[in-house]
Amino acid sequence: MPKNQPLSRPRTITWLSLGHACVDVYQGSVAALVPYFVLEREYTYAAASGIVLAASLLSSVVQPLFGALTDRWPMPWLLPLSTLIAGVGVALSGITGSYVLTLIVVAISGIGVAAFHPEAARAARKASRGSHSAMGWFSLGGNLGFATSPLLVSAVIATGGLQASPLLVVPALAGAALCLSAVRSARTPAAGTASAGAKAGSDDWVSFARLSGAVICRSIVFVSLSAFVSLYAQERTGGSPAAGTAALFILYIGGAIGTVLGASLANRFGRIQIVRWSYALTVLAVAGVVFVPGPLIYVFVALASAGLYVPFSLHMTLGQDYLPQRVGTASGVTLGLTVSIGGLTTPVIGAIADNASLQVALIPLIVMPAIGWILVHSLQEPKAPGSSSEPRTQSTAAIRNDA
C-alpha cells in the first residue's frame, strides 16, 4: 500500500481500542494504589510491591495460555467477560479486610487483564486486515488507559479513601459494553476482509526469543518505575502525594505520545532501528531519574516514558510478524508474559529499598535497557508474507496518515 494512502479504521478497531483503554486502566491502577496502601495500611515497600506482584504473577502464566487457545479457537466472549473481571478485582482491593484478600482480588484482576489481551490482539489484527496502522490505534487505546489510571485512582481514593475503591469498577462496565459492540461489529466484516494469517509466512522463533528478552528488560524497568516512581518523586522533591501522582501520570502519558511518535518514526526509519534507539535513550533517562534531584526528575521521567513507550506497539507487531502462524501466542507473550515478568522483580526492589534506600534499589534498572539494546541490536525486519527475500519495511503505523 502506498505510503501516502490513508488506511481506514474499521468500526471494530475503534471499539477494541476504546475497550483496550478501559482494561488497561486496571493494569495501571494497581501501581497507582501502592502509595495509598503504604499511607493508609502502613505497608512496607516489600509488602506494597507484593500487591504489584500478585497482579502480575498469574498473568505471566495465564496470558500465553489464552494466546495459544485463541490461535486454535476464537473466543470473542472473553472480551467483555475479562474486562469485568479486571475491574471487579481492583474495585474490591480497597475494601478487603486483610493483606491476603487484597492479594487475591488483585490477582483475579490480573487474570482478567491476561484473558483480554491475546483475544483482543487477534481480533484487532483480523479486523485491521493486516494494517499496522490500525494495530497502532489499538495499542494507543491501551496506553491511554494506562495514562489515565493514576488520575482516576487519585480522584477516587484521595477523595474517599481506599473504602471508595468500588467506584473504580465504572471503566470496566463501560469497557464491557464497548467490547460487546466490537464483537457485534466483527460478525459482519467488511468486504475483502481476510484473516491476517491467511498468507502468513514461517515462524522465526530465534528472532522472537531475542525480541521477547528485550521486552522483559523493558518490562522490569517499566513495572518497577510504575510501582515506585510516585514514592521516589516525593522523596526527591520533598513534595506531597500529588507530586508523586504527577510523576506517575507523566510516566503513563508517554503511552499516548510514544505510540504516535514511534509509529511516525518507524514509518521513516524502520521498526528495528527505532527500537534500538529507544533502548539506548532509556539507559540515559533512567540514570537521570535515579540520580538527578529536585524537579528535574520530572524531565527524566518524561524521557524514560518516551524510551519505554516508543517501541511498545512495535514490539507487538514485530512479535506477530516473527510468529505469523501463532499470532495469539505472540500477542500473549509480548503483551502478557514478558510484561508480567517485570512484576516478579518488584518485591526484590522493595526489599532492597526497605534495607537500604529506594535510590539504591532503583540503580539496577539502569542496566536493564542496556541488555535490551544488546538483544535487539542483531534483529532484522521480518520478511513479508510470501516473500523469500524482501523484508517488511512498513512500520506499525504512520498514524498521522489516519488522523
Side-chain angles (χ1 to χ4, degrees):
M1 181 172 292
K3 182 178 177 180
N4 61 354
Q5 181 177 346
L7 297 170
S8 63
R9 277 174 283 160
R11 184 185 304 172
T12 303
I13 291 293
T14 301
W15 300 141
L16 287 172
S17 179
L18 293 172
H20 194 188
C22 293
V23 168
D24 277 8
V25 161
Y26 300 107
Q27 278 199 311
S29 291
V30 176
L33 284 166
V34 164
Y36 297 98
F37 286 130
V38 171
L39 290 173
E40 291 193 29
R41 298 182 178 177
E42 299 183 345
Y43 288 164
T44 64
Y45 286 136
S49 62
I51 303 293
V52 180
L53 171 63
S56 302
L57 184 58
L58 287 180
S59 292
S60 66
V61 176
V62 172
Q63 192 150 323
L65 174 61
F66 279 111
L69 291 174
T70 59
D71 281 334
R72 297 179 64 87
W73 305 287
M75 295 183 287
W77 52 267
L78 264 182
L79 298 180
L81 177 62
S82 60
T83 303
L84 289 173
I85 292 173
V88 169
V90 167
L92 293 176
S93 64
I95 59 174
T96 52
S98 71
Y99 182 71
V100 172
L101 286 177
T102 302
L103 293 177
I104 291 172
V105 295
V106 298
I108 291 171
S109 176
I111 292 174
V113 172
F116 176 86
H117 282 95
E119 175 62 20
R122 184 203 64 79
R125 185 177 175 95
K126 182 177 180 180
S128 71
R129 291 163 284 173
S131 164
H132 294 313
S133 181
M135 293 301 290
W137 283 102
F138 172 73
S139 297
L140 178 61
N143 292 332
L144 286 173
F146 255 111
T148 56
S149 60
L151 300 181
L152 175 65
V153 169
S154 179
V156 172
I157 306 302
T159 302
L162 288 173
Q163 293 300 312
S165 67
L167 293 175
L168 296 175
V169 79
V170 172
L173 299 176
L178 290 163
C179 289
L180 285 173
S181 297
V183 171
R184 294 192 186 100
S185 178
R187 288 174 181 168
T188 55
T193 299
S195 171
K199 297 181 179 180
S202 59
D203 294 333
D204 182 354
W205 284 100
V206 173
S207 294
F208 182 76
R210 291 176 181 169
L211 177 69
S212 298
V215 179
I216 288 173
C217 294
R218 183 259 182 203
S219 171
I220 290 172
V221 176
F222 177 73
V223 176
S224 297
L225 286 180
S226 296
F228 297 112
V229 74
S230 180
L231 295 168
Y232 191 61
Q234 292 178 55
E235 283 187 9
R236 302 295 278 178
T237 64
S240 66
T245 298
L248 192 59
F249 174 72
I250 291 171
L251 180 68
Y252 285 174
I253 196 63
I257 299 172
T259 299
V260 176
L261 180 62
S264 178
L265 292 174
N267 190 60
R268 181 175 181 181
F269 299 105
R271 289 178 291 181
I272 296 297
Q273 188 76 336
I274 295 306
V275 169
R276 291 170 185 158
W277 291 349
S278 298
Y279 279 90
L281 170 64
T282 304
V283 175
L284 299 176
V286 174
V289 171
V290 173
F291 293 115
V292 174
L296 278 177
I297 189 175
Y298 294 108
V299 175
F300 286 98
V301 170
L303 291 174
S305 179
L308 292 166
Y309 269 117
V310 161
F312 183 80
S313 67
L314 310 183
H315 288 149
M316 180 177 64
T317 59
L318 281 168
Q320 291 178 336
D321 288 347
Y322 283 136
L323 298 185
Q325 300 286 353
R326 295 173 174 81
V327 170
T329 299
S331 302
V333 173
T334 56
L335 289 176
L337 177 61
T338 52
V339 174
S340 299
I341 286 176
L344 304 182
T345 65
T346 54
V348 178
I349 301 294
I352 296 173
D354 285 332
N355 289 281
S357 71
L358 193 50
Q359 183 181 43
V360 170
L362 295 179
I363 289 175
L365 300 184
I366 302 171
V367 180
M368 290 294 102
I371 297 173
W373 182 88
I374 293 171
L375 290 170
V376 300
H377 184 67
S378 60
L379 288 179
Q380 301 296 321
E381 283 282 347
K383 293 180 180 179
S387 170
S388 59
S389 60
E390 184 179 347
R392 180 178 299 181
T393 56
Q394 179 72 18
S395 80
T396 41
I399 294 182
R400 64 176 180 272
N401 288 346
D402 290 336

